[in-house]
Amino acid sequence: MKILVTGGAGYIGSTAVSILLDRGFDVNVIDDCSTGYAASVDSRATFFQKSILEPAALDYALQGCDAVMHFAAKSLVGESVVKPEIYWETNAYGSRLLLNAMRRNGVEKLVFSSTAATYGDSKENPITENSATSPTNPYGASKLAVDYMISAQSTAYGLSAASLRYFNVAGALKTENGWLAEKHNPETHLIPNLLRSTPESPMKIFGTDWPTPDGTCIRDYIHVVDLIEAHIKALENLTPGRHEIINLGSGGGYSVKEVLAAAEKVLGRSIPAIATDRRAGDPAVLVADISKARAVLGWQPERSLQSMVSDAWESF
Ligand code: UDP
C-alpha cells in the first residue's frame, strides 16, 4: 500500500513517514520545507519538495497512492492571530486543493491531522468528540473548516476519512539516522522550553493563578509515536463513505508544574523557572476523552510523560 504523506518533513509528518516505512508501506512525501526540514525526510521515501498549493505537484505526488495522511499545515496559534490569511490559504485552501486532487486521481482514503484547538475553550473536560467546537483562533478555525470539508466529501463522493484531533504532542523518535524531534522556530511549546531553560534565561510559567489544584494550566500530553500508531490504526479502520472524528491524547492531564517536576527528574537537577502573567488565549484545562479512540481504533497510548520528556531531552 502506498501512502502520500503531506508535510512529511515536519515534526509529526516525518515521524509518520519513518514508522510507515518500517511497517512496509511505500511512502511519497510532499512538503515545501517552509517549516519542515528536507533532512528529516526518510531516504526510503520518494520526496517531492513542493507546495500542496500547486495542483500539478499534488497530481504528481499522488501517482500510485492508495491513501493520504495529511499533515501539511501552518500550526502556530499566535501567528494565526496576526497573520490569519496564511492559515486560511495553507490549511483551508491547501486542503481543498488536496481533496480535489485526491478525487481527480481516484484516491479515496484520508487520515487528517486535526486538533483540539477546534474545541476552543471547552466548557467540558474531558472533551469528547461531541463537545461543542468553538475555536478561539484562526488556526483552530481553519482546521475545523477542513473537518467540515472532509465530512461533505465523504457524504457527496464516498471519501473514507478520519480526522484525528491531537491534544499536546511531545517526545521524539530515534531512527538509524538520528532523532526526529520538535525543531520549531520560534519554539513556543512547554517541554522544549523547559529543557532549554538556563539561569540566564529561565523558562516562564504562564500563570500560577489558574483555577487548578496547583494554579498552573493542565494539558493532555501524548507521545508522537503513540500518535502515529493511532494514525496507522485509523488508516486500517477506514469505512467507505464515513468520516470519523477521533480525539488523540493520553486521557489524563498534567499541570505545567507537574511537567516541570517530571523534567527535573529526567535531568536529575532543578530547572530554572519563573512565574509570569498568563499567556493570551490559554484555557485553564484541556484534557481528551479518548474512549472513542480506544473503541474504534483498538488503540491506547503506551508511553508516559517521563518518556516524552526523556526522548525530547536525548534528541537535543
Ligand atoms: N507553557 C508555559 N511556558 C512555556 C510554554 C508553555 O507555561 O514556555 C504552558 C502553556 O501556558 C500551556 C502549557 O504550558 O498551559 C502547554 O503549552 P504549549 O505551548 O506547549 O501547548 P498548547 O497547550 O498551547 O498547545
Side-chain angles (χ1 to χ4, degrees):
M1 191 176 193
K2 191 172 194 174
I3 318 288
L4 173 63
V5 178
T6 75
Y11 164 48
I12 299 173
S14 64
T15 304
V17 170
S18 177
I19 295 176
L20 283 166
L21 287 160
D22 286 348
R23 298 287 162 82
F25 291 93
D26 291 323
V27 177
N28 283 358
V29 171
I30 184 165
D31 195 308
D32 62 4
C33 293
S34 54
T35 54
Y37 301 87
S40 298
V41 181
D42 194 303
S43 58
R44 295 169 291 173
T46 305
F47 179 29
F48 302 92
Q49 191 169 338
K50 290 280 182 186
S51 168
I52 58 165
L53 296 171
E54 290 178 50
L58 283 173
D59 284 337
Y60 211 68
L62 279 165
Q63 290 311 302
C65 290
D66 307 289
V68 176
M69 283 193 189
H70 179 31
F71 299 95
K74 299 290 178 189
S75 62
L76 297 177
V77 167
E79 181 185 61
S80 82
V81 176
V82 292
K83 293 183 185 165
E85 69 282 5
I86 304 179
Y87 284 73
W88 291 107
E89 173 145 312
T90 304
N91 297 4
Y93 186 56
S95 299
R96 182 64 259 158
L97 293 178
L98 174 67
L99 290 170
N100 294 349
M102 287 177 67
R103 189 149 175 257
R104 249 190 337 268
N105 289 275
V107 180
E108 294 178 333
K109 294 180 175 179
L110 174 67
V111 177
F112 173 57
S113 165
S114 186
T115 168
T118 53
Y119 298 112
D121 195 355
S122 181
K123 301 283 167 284
E124 281 174 0
N125 265 300
I127 298 172
T128 75
E129 294 79 0
N130 295 323
S131 297
T133 46
S134 182
T136 52
N137 52 64
Y139 166 63
S142 67
K143 288 279 185 172
L144 182 59
V146 180
D147 284 344
Y148 279 123
M149 274 185 223
I150 294 171
S151 287
Q153 204 81 0
S154 293
T155 304
Y157 305 117
L159 179 72
S160 312
S163 286
L164 304 180
R165 291 192 171 155
Y166 312 164
F167 283 65
N168 289 60
V169 186
L173 173 68
K174 191 174 191 177
T175 72
E176 281 178 5
N177 301 312
W179 286 90
L180 296 172
E182 264 185 287
K183 281 178 276 180
H184 298 120
N185 188 16
E187 186 53 76
T188 59
H189 290 124
L190 176 62
I191 293 175
N193 280 352
L194 272 172
L195 298 175
R196 208 166 271 153
S197 176
T198 61
E200 297 71 39
S201 179
M203 71 83 57
K204 295 175 181 158
I205 299 175
F206 296 142
T208 50
D209 57 350
W210 294 94
T212 59
D214 69 14
T216 64
C217 286
I218 294 176
R219 295 288 180 275
D220 183 335
Y221 296 87
I222 174 171
H223 196 293
V224 64
V225 174
D226 282 333
L227 185 92
I228 300 307
E229 297 291 353
H231 283 65
I232 295 173
K233 289 196 184 284
L235 179 70
E236 290 168 347
N237 282 284
L238 291 174
T239 308
R242 269 187 78 92
H243 177 210
E244 295 285 3
I245 292 180
I246 302 174
N247 288 342
L248 294 181
S250 67
Y254 290 97
S255 72
V256 173
K257 282 187 179 166
E258 286 171 330
V259 179
L260 172 65
E264 288 183 325
K265 207 164 165 193
V266 168
L267 269 59
R269 61 168 168 82
S270 70
I271 293 175
I274 51 165
T276 66
D277 288 344
R278 294 178 176 191
R279 181 172 69 177
D282 268 343
V285 180
L286 282 179
V287 176
D289 181 320
I290 56 168
S291 19
K292 185 169 178 184
R294 288 187 209 275
V296 173
L297 306 181
W299 165 90
Q300 63 170 27
E302 306 284 352
R303 293 161 183 82
S304 64
L305 178 66
Q306 195 84 4
S307 77
M308 294 177 220
V309 176
S310 63
D311 289 348
W313 177 237
E314 276 195 58
S315 74
F316 255 45

XYZ file of all heavy atoms in Angstrom, residues 99-160:
458
model
N -8.090 17.708 -1.527
C -9.303 16.895 -1.728
C -9.673 16.837 -3.206
O -10.070 15.782 -3.715
C -10.464 17.469 -0.901
C -10.336 17.291 0.614
C -11.397 18.098 1.339
C -10.438 15.811 0.992
N -9.538 17.966 -3.908
C -9.811 17.974 -5.358
C -8.866 17.017 -6.076
O -9.284 16.242 -6.938
C -9.614 19.379 -5.944
C -10.636 20.381 -5.418
O -11.615 20.000 -4.785
N -10.385 21.664 -5.674
N -7.589 17.093 -5.717
C -6.579 16.259 -6.392
C -6.813 14.782 -6.087
O -6.664 13.919 -6.958
C -5.178 16.686 -5.958
N -7.199 14.477 -4.847
C -7.471 13.072 -4.498
C -8.609 12.541 -5.361
O -8.566 11.428 -5.878
C -7.840 12.961 -3.014
C -6.647 13.146 -2.090
S -7.122 13.107 -0.344
C -7.647 11.396 -0.178
N -9.635 13.361 -5.525
C -10.794 12.928 -6.306
C -10.405 12.731 -7.771
O -10.762 11.725 -8.407
C -11.895 13.975 -6.167
C -13.178 13.509 -6.750
C -14.410 14.021 -6.102
N -15.491 13.529 -6.918
C -16.152 14.275 -7.787
N -15.891 15.560 -7.911
N -17.097 13.729 -8.534
N -9.640 13.692 -8.297
C -9.174 13.603 -9.695
C -8.383 12.333 -9.931
O -8.411 11.748 -10.995
C -8.223 14.776 -9.962
C -8.724 15.806 -10.885
C -7.743 16.841 -11.340
N -6.579 17.153 -10.580
C -6.492 18.109 -9.659
N -7.542 18.845 -9.357
N -5.352 18.341 -9.043
N -7.626 11.929 -8.899
C -6.717 10.791 -9.048
C -7.283 9.491 -8.469
O -6.567 8.498 -8.363
C -5.369 11.128 -8.402
C -4.607 12.173 -9.206
O -3.911 11.843 -10.158
N -4.777 13.442 -8.866
N -8.549 9.524 -8.059
C -9.203 8.301 -7.579
C -8.645 7.782 -6.261
O -8.674 6.576 -5.998
N -8.125 8.677 -5.409
C -7.612 8.257 -4.102
C -8.712 8.526 -3.074
O -9.147 9.662 -2.898
C -6.315 9.023 -3.732
C -5.791 8.574 -2.366
C -5.257 8.805 -4.808
N -9.170 7.466 -2.394
C -10.405 7.575 -1.612
C -10.233 7.393 -0.116
O -11.212 7.201 0.606
C -11.407 6.540 -2.143
C -11.834 6.881 -3.566
C -12.781 5.861 -4.160
O -12.722 4.687 -3.730
O -13.560 6.248 -5.042
N -8.972 7.426 0.367
C -8.742 7.243 1.808
C -7.894 8.378 2.349
O -6.846 8.698 1.776
C -8.016 5.919 2.061
C -8.848 4.711 1.716
C -8.072 3.445 1.991
C -8.972 2.246 1.741
N -8.255 0.984 1.978
N -8.343 8.930 3.483
C -7.648 10.092 4.050
C -7.608 10.010 5.575
O -8.618 9.754 6.221
C -8.395 11.371 3.650
C -7.905 12.677 4.263
C -6.514 13.049 3.753
C -8.878 13.817 3.933
N -6.418 10.254 6.126
C -6.288 10.473 7.570
C -5.767 11.893 7.742
O -4.705 12.235 7.208
C -5.338 9.447 8.228
C -5.182 9.749 9.722
C -5.874 8.031 8.033
N -6.521 12.711 8.468
C -6.223 14.144 8.566
C -5.784 14.527 9.974
O -6.359 14.087 10.965
C -7.473 14.945 8.174
C -7.339 16.427 8.396
C -6.317 17.154 7.794
C -8.240 17.101 9.209
C -6.190 18.523 8.005
C -8.130 18.473 9.422
C -7.098 19.175 8.820
N -4.773 15.378 10.006
C -4.212 15.901 11.245
C -5.045 17.095 11.722
O -4.819 18.223 11.312
C -2.781 16.316 10.911
O -2.229 17.111 11.872
N -6.045 16.813 12.566
C -6.866 17.880 13.115
C -6.346 18.212 14.521
O -5.252 17.779 14.894
C -8.341 17.464 13.122
O -9.170 18.541 13.516
N -7.071 18.962 15.274
C -6.512 19.480 16.523
C -7.585 19.757 17.577
O -8.734 20.094 17.245
C -5.762 20.805 16.244
O -5.452 21.448 17.488
C -6.598 21.791 15.433
N -7.168 19.676 18.832
C -8.052 20.046 19.939
C -8.388 21.535 19.903
O -9.351 21.962 20.554
C -7.381 19.706 21.272
N -7.613 22.322 19.149
C -7.907 23.759 19.027
C -9.266 23.995 18.354
O -9.810 25.097 18.432
C -6.810 24.468 18.244
N -9.829 22.966 17.716
C -11.173 23.104 17.135
C -12.229 23.273 18.234
O -13.281 23.842 17.995
C -11.553 21.871 16.286
O -11.359 20.698 17.096
C -10.693 21.762 15.036
N -11.937 22.755 19.446
C -12.918 22.852 20.538
C -12.883 24.210 21.228
O -13.833 24.588 21.894
C -12.665 21.752 21.580
C -12.816 20.353 21.042
C -11.723 19.502 20.920
C -14.061 19.877 20.630
C -11.853 18.212 20.423
C -14.206 18.587 20.129
C -13.097 17.761 20.025
O -13.231 16.498 19.526
N -11.746 24.913 21.106
C -11.616 26.200 21.783
C -11.569 26.032 23.289
O -11.048 25.033 23.791
N -12.108 27.000 23.991
C -12.074 26.991 25.453
C -13.264 26.164 25.935
O -14.288 26.708 26.350
C -12.149 28.453 25.938
C -11.760 28.574 27.396
O -11.534 27.537 28.045
O -11.699 29.714 27.888
N -13.103 24.841 25.912
C -14.238 23.946 26.131
C -14.819 24.054 27.536
O -14.093 24.158 28.514
C -13.806 22.504 25.876
O -14.890 21.644 26.067
N -16.125 24.007 27.585
C -16.813 24.009 28.892
C -16.720 22.614 29.507
O -16.882 22.451 30.706
C -18.290 24.382 28.719
C -18.494 25.758 28.081
C -18.262 26.902 29.068
C -18.162 28.240 28.373
N -16.884 28.497 27.680
N -16.493 21.612 28.656
C -16.453 20.226 29.142
C -15.020 19.729 29.241
O -14.226 19.952 28.332
C -17.168 19.309 28.139
C -18.648 19.339 28.231
C -19.297 18.517 27.121
O -18.590 17.925 26.290
O -20.515 18.494 27.092
N -14.708 19.048 30.311
C -13.424 18.365 30.440
C -13.646 17.094 31.212
O -14.213 17.151 32.288
C -12.396 19.254 31.164
C -11.526 20.010 30.169
O -10.849 19.381 29.367
N -11.577 21.323 30.189
N -13.248 15.927 30.718
C -12.558 15.745 29.456
C -13.461 16.052 28.260
O -14.686 15.980 28.359
C -12.132 14.276 29.477
C -13.053 13.614 30.442
C -13.422 14.654 31.451
N -12.813 16.355 27.142
C -13.517 16.750 25.926
C -13.801 15.505 25.085
O -12.893 14.716 24.807
C -12.644 17.734 25.125
C -12.394 19.001 25.956
C -13.276 18.065 23.786
C -11.384 19.959 25.329
N -15.057 15.339 24.676
C -15.384 14.233 23.775
C -15.549 14.807 22.367
O -15.594 16.023 22.176
C -16.710 13.533 24.156
O -17.796 14.390 23.752
C -16.793 13.244 25.640
N -15.686 13.909 21.408
C -15.863 14.345 20.018
C -17.223 15.023 19.827
O -17.444 15.687 18.814
C -15.731 13.160 19.056
C -14.338 12.543 19.009
C -14.019 11.612 20.173
O -14.877 11.413 21.069
O -12.893 11.074 20.188
N -18.129 14.850 20.798
C -19.433 15.518 20.715
C -19.449 16.862 21.427
O -20.469 17.561 21.410
C -20.533 14.628 21.315
C -20.708 13.363 20.506
O -20.606 13.395 19.287
N -20.921 12.242 21.187
N -18.348 17.218 22.090
C -18.276 18.529 22.744
C -18.374 19.609 21.669
O -17.985 19.389 20.509
C -16.953 18.673 23.503
O -16.866 17.709 24.529
N -18.866 20.778 22.079
C -19.047 21.861 21.100
C -17.705 22.309 20.531
O -16.701 22.355 21.253
C -19.719 23.040 21.790
N -17.691 22.615 19.227
C -16.484 23.186 18.610
C -16.658 24.690 18.551
O -17.652 25.191 18.020
C -16.264 22.624 17.193
O -17.502 22.651 16.499
C -15.733 21.209 17.232
N -15.689 25.407 19.111
C -15.772 26.861 19.128
C -14.351 27.428 19.181
O -13.897 27.919 20.208
C -16.581 27.292 20.356
O -16.708 28.681 20.375
N -13.617 27.293 18.052
C -12.202 27.675 18.067
C -12.015 29.141 18.444
O -12.842 29.984 18.091
C -11.726 27.403 16.629
C -12.954 27.159 15.825
C -14.055 26.789 16.752
N -10.916 29.409 19.165
C -10.676 30.774 19.634
C -9.587 31.469 18.819
O -9.145 32.549 19.176
C -10.253 30.757 21.116
O -9.173 29.832 21.249
C -11.389 30.353 22.020
N -9.130 30.835 17.732
C -8.104 31.471 16.897
C -8.207 30.909 15.473
O -8.804 29.848 15.257
C -6.709 31.212 17.485
C -6.486 29.734 17.730
O -6.464 28.942 16.810
N -6.363 29.357 19.002
N -7.618 31.617 14.488
C -7.731 31.179 13.087
C -7.102 29.807 12.818
O -7.528 29.099 11.907
C -6.993 32.280 12.318
C -7.145 33.492 13.191
C -7.045 32.969 14.598
N -6.089 29.431 13.611
C -5.516 28.091 13.435
C -6.603 27.028 13.640
O -6.861 26.192 12.764
C -4.347 27.880 14.404
C -3.923 26.443 14.512
C -3.422 25.768 13.403
C -4.062 25.735 15.709
C -3.050 24.427 13.491
C -3.691 24.404 15.802
C -3.192 23.762 14.692
O -2.844 22.431 14.779
N -7.260 27.084 14.813
C -8.307 26.105 15.116
C -9.468 26.204 14.138
O -10.035 25.190 13.716
N -9.812 27.438 13.750
C -10.934 27.634 12.829
C -10.618 27.036 11.456
O -11.475 26.405 10.828
C -11.243 29.128 12.700
N -9.372 27.215 11.002
C -9.021 26.698 9.668
C -9.030 25.166 9.667
O -9.429 24.535 8.696
C -7.664 27.249 9.214
O -6.611 26.760 10.018
N -8.613 24.559 10.783
C -8.631 23.093 10.868
C -10.079 22.575 10.947
O -10.420 21.538 10.372
C -7.841 22.629 12.096
C -6.333 22.793 11.951
C -5.745 21.645 11.141
C -4.235 21.705 11.071
N -3.635 20.514 10.462
N -10.925 23.317 11.666
C -12.335 22.912 11.765
C -13.002 23.005 10.389
O -13.805 22.144 10.014
C -13.060 23.792 12.783
C -14.528 23.452 13.036
C -14.697 22.012 13.542
C -15.136 24.435 14.048
N -12.634 24.043 9.627
C -13.180 24.182 8.271
C -12.836 22.948 7.436
O -13.661 22.447 6.669
C -12.624 25.446 7.613
N -11.621 22.435 7.618
C -11.210 21.244 6.851
C -12.020 20.027 7.298
O -12.443 19.208 6.474
C -9.690 20.988 6.985
C -9.284 19.750 6.188
C -8.900 22.208 6.516
N -12.254 19.917 8.613
C -13.092 18.805 9.083
C -14.468 18.852 8.403
O -14.998 17.814 7.977
C -13.260 18.853 10.609
C -12.009 18.373 11.344
O -11.150 17.729 10.716
O -11.902 18.634 12.557
N -15.022 20.050 8.282
C -16.319 20.180 7.585
C -16.194 19.789 6.105
O -17.064 19.119 5.544
C -16.848 21.614 7.697
C -17.530 21.918 9.013
C -17.089 22.959 9.816
C -18.616 21.165 9.448
C -17.716 23.254 11.026
C -19.237 21.447 10.652
C -18.792 22.489 11.437
O -19.414 22.768 12.628
N -15.115 20.222 5.468
C -14.915 19.883 4.045
C -14.855 18.374 3.849
O -15.406 17.827 2.906
C -13.555 20.430 3.559
C -13.546 21.829 3.091
S -11.861 22.100 2.450
C -11.555 23.685 3.133
N -14.130 17.722 4.778
C -13.946 16.270 4.650
C -15.286 15.558 4.836
O -15.627 14.634 4.080
C -12.895 15.770 5.663
C -11.521 16.351 5.321
C -12.839 14.249 5.668
C -10.450 16.090 6.385
N -16.074 15.998 5.821
C -17.387 15.373 6.039
C -18.236 15.479 4.773
O -18.884 14.508 4.353
C -18.134 16.056 7.182
O -17.569 15.727 8.409
N -18.217 16.660 4.165
C -19.018 16.873 2.951
C -18.516 15.989 1.812
O -19.306 15.452 1.027
C -18.964 18.346 2.559
N -17.203 15.821 1.737
C -16.615 14.995 0.681
C -16.997 13.520 0.866
O -17.222 12.808 -0.098
C -15.088 15.156 0.740
C -14.369 14.862 -0.552
C -14.399 16.031 -1.525
O -14.968 17.092 -1.226
N -13.808 15.840 -2.687
N -17.086 13.098 2.115
C -17.494 11.717 2.392
C -18.941 11.501 1.983
O -19.275 10.500 1.332
C -17.345 11.407 3.885
O -16.003 11.404 4.234
N -19.801 12.459 2.357
C -21.225 12.329 2.027
C -21.430 12.370 0.512
O -22.158 11.545 -0.053
C -22.015 13.496 2.671
O -21.757 13.482 4.064
C -23.502 13.364 2.426
N -20.787 13.320 -0.136
C -21.046 13.525 -1.571
C -20.363 12.484 -2.450
O -20.942 12.020 -3.430
C -20.587 14.931 -1.974
N -19.148 12.115 -2.098
C -18.347 11.293 -3.025
C -17.813 10.004 -2.422
O -16.999 9.318 -3.044
C -17.170 12.120 -3.565
C -17.596 13.419 -4.207
C -17.198 14.641 -3.680
C -18.425 13.429 -5.339
C -17.605 15.836 -4.256
C -18.834 14.623 -5.910
C -18.424 15.817 -5.366
O -18.832 16.996 -5.936
N -18.204 9.700 -1.186
C -17.805 8.406 -0.608
C -16.393 8.350 -0.075
O -15.854 7.249 0.136
N -15.771 9.522 0.171
C -14.424 9.505 0.750
C -14.442 8.773 2.101
O -15.356 8.964 2.903
C -13.961 10.961 0.978
C -12.573 11.145 1.597
C -11.481 10.794 0.587
C -12.387 12.583 2.084
N -13.422 7.935 2.338
C -13.263 7.276 3.643
C -12.245 8.087 4.423
O -11.099 8.213 3.971
C -12.695 5.863 3.477
O -13.399 5.176 2.487
